[in-house]
Amino acid sequence: MSKINVSIVISLIFVIILEVFAQDIAYFLNHHIVAIWPIHYLTVITIIAVVLYVGTLIVILIQHLKRRITNNKLIAYLYILGITGLFTTFWSLFVLAMWWG
């Protein structure tokens, strides 16, 4: 695999982990970093995760335009990004909405 493929896959894995475990990360940061309300940490984590998803999509499209990613890989990346991105982002936003009340 080329470096760009590895970085895209690592980015996707990192964002999925960040969104799925955002609540636990917020509690951890609350107990170990600064004791502010965990909801603020959760909000920042959710925003960062969504920005990373959009950034990964932009990187994929730029690399496709530069012809470093073939059409088959582009379709695979977009399917993976779409499926995981939609489910984990909706989950993360649902958790955030429940915390905010």
Side-chain angles (χ1 to χ4, degrees):
M1 286 178 88
S2 67
K3 290 180 184 179
I4 191 66
N5 292 333
V6 171
S7 65
I8 289 172
V9 170
I10 289 173
S11 173
L12 287 174
I13 291 170
F14 176 71
V15 174
I16 290 169
I17 290 171
L18 191 66
E19 283 194 337
V20 170
F21 297 109
Q23 185 174 359
D24 296 328
I25 294 168
Y27 280 129
F28 176 81
L29 293 174
N30 179 40
H31 291 300
H32 292 49
I33 305 296
V34 176
I36 60 173
W37 288 354
I39 193 165
H40 298 297
Y41 284 123
L42 184 65
T43 304
V44 170
I45 292 168
T46 303
I47 291 170
I48 289 171
V50 170
V51 167
L52 285 175
Y53 264 123
V54 172
T56 304
L57 176 64
I58 291 170
V59 167
I60 290 171
L61 294 176
I62 289 172
Q63 294 304 317
H64 177 67
L65 291 175
K66 290 182 176 181
R67 306 284 183 218
R68 292 184 184 160
I69 294 178
T70 62
N71 287 335
N72 293 335
K73 285 184 183 178
L74 174 70
I75 292 170
Y77 282 144
L78 291 180
Y79 276 129
I80 292 169
L81 187 70
I83 291 170
T84 61
L86 286 176
F87 287 125
T88 59
T89 300
F90 285 143
W91 170 254
S92 184
L93 291 174
F94 174 75
V95 170
L96 184 64
M98 291 296 110
W99 272 46
W100 277 107

